[in-house]
Amino acid sequence: MSWSAELEHVSKSYGQILALDDATLKVGKNEIFTLIGPNGSGKTTLLRILACIETPDNGNVYLHGRKIDDKNRDKAKLNTTLVFQRTSLFATSVYNNIAYGLRLRNLSKNHVYSAVKRALRTVRLEGFENRLAKKLSGGEQQRVSLARALALDTSLLLLDEPTANLDPKSASLIEEIIKEVNQEKQRTIIMATHNLFQAKHIGESAALLVNGRIIKIGTIREMLTGESGELAELARIENIFSGTLELLEGGTSRLSLENGILIETALDREGRFSVFISPEDIIISKRRLESSARNVFKGTIEEILDYGSLVKLKVNTGRDFIVQITKRSFIEMGLNVGSLVYLTFKASSVKII
Ligand code: ATP
């Protein structure tokens, strides 16, 4: 097997913080590999090292079989592209944003033109050339960032949480584009994500990072059926619950968690399963809602994470749930740490991992 990217005992510290601790990893050619882990676990640091933006303190990095050193690092940098978590587009047209990196490489005008057009087609933004990039929606801006990376035509594409802070429709469009780029254009993709469901859906193999260490490499399914320690780490990521599904009348089922919490699902299954509920599928309210949704829990907000136009809330109902709402709703509802809230979600929002 030929490898697109390899890390051998790579470590990186920022002052006292050991951001990456003895990481060893191999990613095959044309693979989609996901890095999964809680906040601050070292995913971005690992991507920055692979992008040659960051130099490791110890260990070796190989890209396409070639060991990276001080002499070839700048050249290697041109063969990988990192799409950052927080998009920062230039205050100019979509065309200029995508053409920027190509112009830096002194490519001809014709080459730049056709590469920009091709990239726009891939990200479904044909006709957006003259639009002002900063005026586009969050999802469109993220697709421009992706187009900017795709236009460079590098064989290794690094994506840092490409769908974080996007609405579900924009997120699934980006997932579709990522899969297409991998399959049709034969690119190796290494992607950091918080979203286990996404990791399982898009990627083949994954590395689970905790506190800068890679604690497991394998498929998400292997991690979910593996040691309980791994499962506990995965559960810290977002709304993953493991329990026993019991069939109910009418083709639905109920998942019993260890501490007596029951989640109703539309799954026609029985036995031990791990399920995932997307944070944007959970409605938060100050009063109990009258609705057809089968799951209602009362809880207290324990943590508030600000993601710009979106806010993630950790709500303890006996188990922690992560809920994602817009900043606008959050302000209008006057929520704060300690607020008592109700969480409501449909049985059909519960997905098996
Ligand atoms: P997130 O999911 O929040 O993006 P992550 O898994 O990508 O997190 P990193 O961004 O790699 O994690 O951070 C790993 C650790 O290194 C964290 O404790 C972070 O605060 C720290 N860190 C990262 N970059 C720097 C820096 N430039 N200076 C100081 N500390 C840093």
Side-chain angles (χ1 to χ4, degrees):
M1 175 137 189
S2 58
W3 306 105
S4 280
E6 296 175 66
L7 295 184
E8 250 177 24
H9 302 293
V10 168
S11 300
K12 176 77 193 173
S13 295
Y14 297 103
Q16 299 292 311
I17 299 167
L18 185 53
L20 202 59
D21 183 5
D22 197 23
T24 294
L25 182 74
K26 283 184 174 180
V27 178
K29 202 160 176 262
N30 301 338
E31 202 178 341
I32 303 190
F33 191 96
T34 51
L35 305 173
I36 189 137
N39 278 321
S41 56
K43 304 182 295 295
T44 303
T45 305
L46 198 159
L47 288 176
R48 288 173 64 85
I49 287 173
L50 286 175
C52 303
I53 298 172
E54 204 77 77
T55 314
D57 300 332
N58 294 301
N60 298 317
V61 179
Y62 298 83
L63 294 175
H64 313 293
R66 171 175 286 208
K67 186 171 163 180
I68 304 303
D69 56 30
D70 289 344
K71 287 194 209 91
N72 62 18
R73 183 165 288 109
D74 282 344
K75 196 157 173 237
K77 208 185 279 183
L78 296 177
N79 286 320
T80 59
T81 326
L82 173 60
V83 177
F84 294 96
Q85 189 170 351
R86 285 183 195 270
T87 302
S88 59
L89 296 176
F90 305 121
T92 173
S93 67
V94 166
Y95 187 95
N96 284 337
N97 266 279
I98 302 173
Y100 179 78
L102 298 161
R103 289 178 181 144
L104 279 185
R105 286 164 168 78
N106 288 326
L107 297 165
S108 73
K109 229 176 172 174
N110 279 348
H111 184 120
V112 172
Y113 180 80
S114 47
V116 173
K117 286 279 186 190
R118 225 177 11 251
L120 280 173
R121 209 165 33 243
T122 307
V123 301
R124 330 299 196 239
L125 286 177
E126 285 153 303
F128 275 61
E129 289 82 345
N130 297 323
R131 299 272 293 271
L132 279 177
K134 294 258 191 200
K135 298 268 181 209
L136 301 180
S137 71
E140 287 164 349
Q141 290 200 27
Q142 188 59 307
R143 273 145 69 200
V144 173
S145 293
L146 207 51
R148 192 156 66 176
L150 293 174
L152 297 174
D153 207 18
T154 56
S155 51
L156 181 60
L157 188 59
L158 307 168
L159 307 173
D160 195 0
E161 303 254 7
T163 63
N165 317 334
L166 295 184
D167 62 275
K169 212 169 143 208
S170 303
S172 64
L173 180 54
I174 286 184
E175 287 174 6
E176 202 181 299
I177 295 166
I178 292 170
K179 285 184 90 161
E180 187 182 300
V181 165
N182 169 255
Q183 280 157 16
E184 292 176 16
K185 302 193 190 302
Q186 309 273 296
R187 308 276 179 90
T188 307
I189 296 175
I190 306 179
M191 179 179 88
T193 179
H194 268 94
N195 185 330
L196 262 194
F197 200 63
Q198 180 176 69
K200 181 153 176 285
H201 173 63
I202 299 192
E204 292 121 29
S205 305
L208 173 61
L209 279 96
V210 179
N211 296 331
R213 287 191 77 88
I214 296 178
I215 65 161
K216 172 90 180 177
I217 296 176
T219 63
I220 298 291
R221 180 167 295 278
E222 281 164 2
M223 291 179 197
L224 285 165
T225 51
E227 294 166 31
S228 57
E230 289 157 19
L231 196 59
E233 292 303 340
L234 287 172
R236 275 176 53 200
I237 300 173
E238 251 164 34
N239 298 344
I240 312 286
F241 303 104
S242 297
T244 309
L245 272 179
E246 170 203 353
L247 277 175
L248 303 173
E249 279 178 29
T252 60
S253 57
R254 187 190 289 135
L255 184 80
S256 315
L257 308 184
E258 273 75 21
N259 57 356
I261 290 186
L262 300 172
I263 296 178
E264 205 165 316
T265 85
L267 303 162
D268 188 9
R269 308 282 275 273
E270 267 185 313
R272 290 280 311 167
F273 284 99
S274 296
V275 300
F276 166 75
I277 302 140
S278 188
E280 57 266 8
D281 284 348
I282 302 177
I283 296 171
I284 190 164
S285 58
K286 285 179 139 174
R287 284 182 205 87
R288 197 183 175 94
L289 296 180
E290 278 198 31
S291 78
S292 62
R294 304 296 305 166
N295 294 293
V296 181
F297 296 99
K298 190 176 177 186
T300 311
I301 296 180
E302 285 197 335
E303 203 176 323
I304 298 169
L305 300 163
D306 190 336
Y307 285 87
S309 59
L310 293 168
V311 175
K312 280 191 179 179
L313 307 168
K314 187 161 102 184
V315 179
N316 189 333
T317 66
R319 288 293 290 262
D320 287 340
F321 281 86
I322 304 287
V323 182
Q324 178 177 301
I325 57 171
T326 60
K327 171 81 80 49
R328 205 164 150 205
S329 301
F330 173 75
I331 293 168
E332 279 174 11
M333 288 175 75
L335 298 174
N336 217 326
V337 170
S339 299
L340 267 180
V341 289
Y342 287 88
L343 304 185
T344 307
F345 54 92
K346 291 184 187 173
S348 58
S349 299
V350 183
K351 311 260 167 48
I352 285 189
I353 298 181

